[in-house]
Amino acid sequence: MATTATTGLELRSRISRDGELDLSLVDVPVPTPAAGEVLVRVEASPINPSDLGLLLGPADVATIRGGGTATHPKVTAKVPAQRLGGLGARLDQSMAVGNEGAGVVIAAGSGAEPLVGRTVAMLGGAMYAQHRLIKAADCLVLPEGTTAAAGASCFVNPLTSLGMTETMRMEGHTALVHTAAASNLGQMLVKICKKDGIGLVNIVRSAEQAKILKDLGATYVLDSTSPDFAAELTEAIAATGATIAFDAIGGGKLAGQILVAMEAALNRKAGAYSRYGSTTHKQVYIYGALDVRPSEIDRSVGMAWGVGGWLLTYFLMKIGPEANKRLRDRVVAELHTTFASHYTAEISLTEALKPDVIAAYAKRATGEKYLINPNKE
Amino acid sequence: MATTATTGLELRSRISRDGELDLSLVDVPVPTPAAGEVLVRVEASPINPSDLGLLLGPADVATIRGGGTATHPKVTAKVPAQRLGGLGARLDQSMAVGNEGAGVVIAAGSGAEPLVGRTVAMLGGAMYAQHRLIKAADCLVLPEGTTAAAGASCFVNPLTSLGMTETMRMEGHTALVHTAAASNLGQMLVKICKKDGIGLVNIVRSAEQAKILKDLGATYVLDSTSPDFAAELTEAIAATGATIAFDAIGGGKLAGQILVAMEAALNRKAGAYSRYGSTTHKQVYIYGALDVRPSEIDRSVGMAWGVGGWLLTYFLMKIGPEANKRLRDRVVAELHTTFASHYTAEISLTEALKPDVIAAYAKRATGEKYLINPNKE
């Protein structure tokens, strides 16, 4: 037991029934690991889009106000009344935040002693904190010499992008479509598909985003703002044979457009007329919510189609421990290549609660990603 | 070989690239059954919604014009140019029509002789014809004394409604929601669920339709035009535990509303807050297209959801021969109870091509169904 502090800081997010978001740092006791557990000093935890969902919820970023003290800042913002309905049981609860992170094991319970001093990556929430108690078996032990910053994003983006190609294979498809494809996750997917020889149609929303992927060696990069987008999409889908898509946008017409393009590409090679359309199943999985409007599915997609939600957690539960280990092993093996993450800035917990910093990371700008180091300073 | 005529009439539908629908009766040679085949004199074939899709396509019923001769009438109608795109390979093809039917075996090839004289039910298209050649193994032999009219609708509605409860069980659900529920199919589903003790939420669009189902003994019958529909739907779903729906409407907001109500019902009993919503999978299968607008899926449905197409043919292929036999046996056993069909009128092939008759069956009015007897007169 090498820890000296008796309390550590932990970031909390709370949304009240009155529609007020409160972000704060609280002092929590440093726990003592039980048998099989380790205590990790968290040194790096990324702010992923999925973290922003819990951290800020549907708060109006324009209403953010700072407060509190230098060591214990507080931030408030307003949540529009019409957005409170979907928040259910989180209302009035103080929620710990941070899906994934990495740090150094500083104490261990019985049986976990060999991990002391090792840098480990973790998934499981409450990572925006100076200490995280976790089961040793749930830690991904990083190779000696790996920094916490390099290992902070081992799970969400790497496993999500690998989960997409795994799902593709499991469900009998051979190529895929990805939207919002210039994201950190999308760049990883480009690298996976290039390495594994998988056809990938990338959909982005600007020429700048297209250039990012072209520079990575992506073959099919389509700009959805192009006037010829529908035709270009059908061509790229016909060329790759993609019959599954992963969509981070969710709302609007894009998911439906992808299905329509898949159906059109399939019908080009179809033989006899079938009034029920192609018999090949076409699937779009929505895994993000960049657009919170309803999804519009055009009906000219035949009868063999599906649209649904896709969540990493559910996927990992479904594939079982052996496949989980295989995917994690690949992430570690390719941590500095396929799965390398780049961060715009490394910030402390107190910096993470500065209104101007929040405004910056809340933009979710393509290619920008912030890393929290709860033990910075 | 007891057949005497050398040709028989067959109804054909053709849509030209110029946007003209032509319906006609053609003389086709009466075929001779090969080994394992039988020749059936078709005496009853219903006009189901799925038949209208092939028969009339997207033609504008208001533009129907009659022509031809008394024995060989012709009908033309205009197909709006913007609807031609989805018709693909059927354009300029003369298509035989009629998914299912029943009749008497009048000739048989080697090995199928015992069927001569028996009344059989059939699935497979081209039933709006005086004769149908079919494999003996594909015939559903009806019990002695069953009329062709009573056996004409053995497949589409009975197997679709049984397919819904089978799919429900196969995918781990215990109760279901059905839309356009006052249809002939919907009435069968009410009877199946009552008999099998399955929770069923029926959604209809008028008080008259609600009464039809209430009179059959349905417990939950909701009118989607009610101002309190959303709340009533959530209550009925919570009471039954329905997590799967079959939707004949397809377009508009209803499929999404059902998912939202399922999610709300599930979240009532949820314990800790999950920002990804309920982990219980919620599914809507769209099997019809009463509304051809895009389907709008509201995003407040969590992450465990799916919407997709459902087609009887694909379902029957998936479940294999043993399950197919089990379902068919049940249809025959309950042909005069659960699966009894009622027809508005029995019409001949020439009557089926009269403009005023077409206008009547093209309305697809709830509770109205026409039966073609190709050998009437």
Side-chain angles (χ1 to χ4, degrees):
Chain A
M1 296 297 296
T3 177
T4 49
T6 56
T7 65
L9 291 173
E10 182 169 287
L11 193 154
R12 295 289 183 85
S13 169
R14 182 177 177 279
I15 294 176
S16 71
R17 288 180 192 281
D18 306 331
E20 184 162 278
L21 167 74
D22 283 284
L23 303 179
S24 61
L25 298 183
V26 299
D27 292 298
V28 294
V30 177
T32 302
E37 290 181 340
V38 295
L39 182 68
V40 179
R41 185 179 67 229
V42 184
E43 294 178 350
S45 178
I47 304 179
N48 287 318
S50 53
D51 295 310
L52 289 173
L54 184 59
L55 184 69
L56 303 178
D60 179 357
V61 175
T63 64
I64 287 178
R65 297 285 173 273
T69 67
T71 57
H72 289 74
K74 282 188 189 300
V75 168
T76 62
K78 296 291 172 204
V79 178
Q82 73 273 22
R83 305 294 299 277
L84 285 170
L87 297 174
R90 82 159 281 180
L91 288 176
D92 289 342
Q93 303 291 318
S94 177
M95 312 290 290
V97 191
N99 278 317
E100 64 181 338
V104 176
V105 175
I106 56 172
S110 165
E113 297 89 347
L115 287 189
V116 173
R118 294 298 299 264
T119 300
V120 297
M122 304 172 285
L123 178 70
M127 298 295 166
Y128 297 169
Q130 293 186 308
H131 304 95
R132 179 66 158 83
L133 190 72
I134 190 167
K135 283 184 193 163
D138 288 344
C139 290
L140 185 60
V141 182
L142 297 170
E144 295 282 3
T146 309
T147 64
S153 297
C154 272
F155 292 93
V156 178
N157 284 341
L159 291 182
T160 300
S161 49
L162 282 175
M164 291 175 181
T165 56
E166 288 288 311
T167 300
M168 177 199 80
R169 285 193 198 92
M170 280 164 54
E171 299 188 0
H173 307 272
T174 56
L176 72 166
V177 176
H178 188 222
T179 74
S183 65
N184 205 298
L185 167 63
Q187 296 177 35
M188 288 183 188
L189 188 60
V190 167
K191 290 190 266 186
I192 292 169
C193 289
K194 204 175 162 191
K195 190 166 171 134
D196 295 1
I198 296 169
L200 172 66
V201 178
N202 298 280
I203 300 175
V204 298
R205 286 170 292 178
S206 71
E208 294 70 31
Q209 292 173 337
K211 185 173 184 308
I212 294 173
L213 297 186
K214 283 286 186 186
D215 288 350
L216 280 177
T219 307
Y220 298 97
V221 186
L222 308 179
D223 184 343
S224 60
T225 64
S226 158
D228 298 321
F229 174 62
E232 291 163 359
L233 182 58
T234 305
E235 288 303 323
I237 286 173
T240 55
T243 46
I244 187 170
F246 289 87
D247 175 32
I249 295 171
K253 295 176 191 288
L254 186 57
Q257 275 184 296
I258 293 168
L259 288 175
V260 169
M262 287 174 175
E263 178 70 6
L266 288 164
N267 281 334
R268 282 190 189 178
K269 55 177 180 181
Y273 170 71
S274 162
R275 71 198 136 113
Y276 297 119
S278 160
T279 58
T280 302
H281 186 78
K282 298 155 291 289
Q283 180 69 39
V284 175
Y285 283 118
I286 296 176
Y287 74 95
L290 293 177
D291 183 336
V292 296
R293 291 176 302 163
S295 310
E296 275 187 47
I297 312 300
D298 188 278
R299 304 298 315 288
S300 55
V301 295
M303 290 300 285
W305 65 276
V307 174
W310 190 93
L311 188 68
L312 177 61
T313 317
Y314 301 163
F315 168 76
L316 294 176
M317 286 192 298
K318 189 165 67 179
I319 62 172
E322 203 168 310
N324 267 276
K325 183 176 182 314
R326 177 169 53 80
L327 298 185
R328 287 178 178 213
D329 287 350
R330 178 165 180 183
V331 173
V332 172
E334 301 175 27
L335 193 56
H336 300 286
T337 53
T338 313
F339 303 112
S341 287
H342 304 284
Y343 300 100
T344 310
E346 182 183 295
I347 58 179
S348 68
L349 285 173
T350 51
E351 285 167 333
L353 293 197
K354 288 185 176 170
D356 58 328
V357 178
I358 296 174
Y361 63 66
K363 272 190 302 191
R364 306 167 198 225
T366 302
E368 289 200 0
K369 189 181 278 284
Y370 287 76
L371 187 69
I372 294 180
N373 177 351
N375 283 288
K376 190 183 169 194
E377 290 162 335
Chain B
M1 295 297 295
T3 176
T4 50
T6 56
T7 66
L9 291 173
E10 183 169 288
L11 192 155
R12 295 289 181 85
S13 169
R14 182 177 177 277
I15 294 176
S16 71
R17 289 181 190 281
D18 305 331
E20 185 162 279
L21 167 73
D22 283 283
L23 303 179
S24 60
L25 298 184
V26 299
D27 292 298
V28 294
V30 177
T32 303
E37 291 180 341
V38 295
L39 181 68
V40 179
R41 185 179 66 229
V42 184
E43 294 178 351
S45 178
I47 303 179
N48 288 316
S50 53
D51 295 309
L52 288 172
L54 184 59
L55 184 69
L56 303 178
D60 179 357
V61 174
T63 64
I64 287 178
R65 296 287 173 272
T69 68
T71 58
H72 289 75
K74 283 187 188 300
V75 168
T76 62
K78 295 292 171 202
V79 178
Q82 73 273 19
R83 305 294 298 280
L84 286 170
L87 297 175
R90 83 158 280 181
L91 289 176
D92 289 343
Q93 304 290 319
S94 177
M95 312 289 291
V97 190
N99 278 317
E100 65 181 337
V104 177
V105 175
I106 56 171
S110 165
E113 296 87 348
L115 287 190
V116 174
R118 293 299 298 264
T119 300
V120 297
M122 304 173 284
L123 178 70
M127 298 294 166
Y128 297 169
Q130 293 186 309
H131 304 95
R132 179 66 157 82
L133 190 71
I134 190 167
K135 283 185 194 164
D138 288 345
C139 290
L140 186 59
V141 182
L142 298 171
E144 295 282 2
T146 310
T147 64
S153 297
C154 272
F155 292 94
V156 177
N157 284 340
L159 291 181
T160 300
S161 50
L162 282 175
M164 291 174 180
T165 56
E166 287 288 309
T167 300
M168 178 200 81
R169 286 194 198 92
M170 280 165 55
E171 300 188 0
H173 308 272
T174 56
L176 72 167
V177 176
H178 188 222
T179 75
S183 65
N184 203 299
L185 168 63
Q187 296 178 35
M188 288 183 188
L189 188 61
V190 167
K191 291 189 266 184
I192 292 169
C193 289
K194 204 175 163 191
K195 189 166 172 135
D196 295 1
I198 296 168
L200 172 65
V201 178
N202 298 279
I203 301 175
V204 298
R205 286 169 292 179
S206 72
E208 294 70 31
Q209 292 172 337
K211 185 172 185 308
I212 293 172
L213 297 186
K214 283 286 185 187
D215 288 348
L216 280 178
T219 308
Y220 299 97
V221 185
L222 308 179
D223 184 342
S224 60
T225 64
S226 157
D228 298 322
F229 174 62
E232 291 163 357
L233 182 59
T234 305
E235 287 305 322
I237 286 172
T240 55
T243 46
I244 187 169
F246 289 86
D247 175 32
I249 295 171
K253 296 176 191 287
L254 186 57
Q257 274 184 298
I258 293 168
L259 288 174
V260 168
M262 287 175 176
E263 179 70 7
L266 288 164
N267 282 334
R268 281 189 190 177
K269 56 178 180 181
Y273 171 70
S274 162
R275 72 196 135 115
Y276 298 118
S278 160
T279 58
T280 302
H281 186 79
K282 299 155 290 292
Q283 181 69 39
V284 175
Y285 283 117
I286 295 176
Y287 74 96
L290 293 177
D291 184 335
V292 296
R293 291 177 302 163
S295 310
E296 275 186 49
I297 312 299
D298 188 278
R299 303 298 314 290
S300 56
V301 295
M303 290 301 285
W305 64 278
V307 174
W310 191 93
L311 188 67
L312 176 61
T313 317
Y314 301 164
F315 168 76
L316 294 177
M317 286 191 299
K318 189 165 69 180
I319 62 173
E322 204 169 311
N324 267 277
K325 181 175 183 313
R326 178 169 52 81
L327 298 185
R328 288 177 177 212
D329 287 350
R330 177 163 181 186
V331 174
V332 172
E334 300 174 28
L335 194 56
H336 300 286
T337 53
T338 313
F339 303 111
S341 288
H342 304 284
Y343 300 100
T344 309
E346 182 184 294
I347 58 179
S348 67
L349 286 173
T350 52
E351 285 167 335
L353 294 197
K354 287 185 176 169
D356 58 327
V357 178
I358 296 174
Y361 62 66
K363 272 191 300 191
R364 306 168 197 225
T366 302
E368 289 200 0
K369 189 181 277 286
Y370 287 76
L371 186 69
I372 294 180
N373 177 352
N375 284 288
K376 188 182 170 196
E377 289 161 336

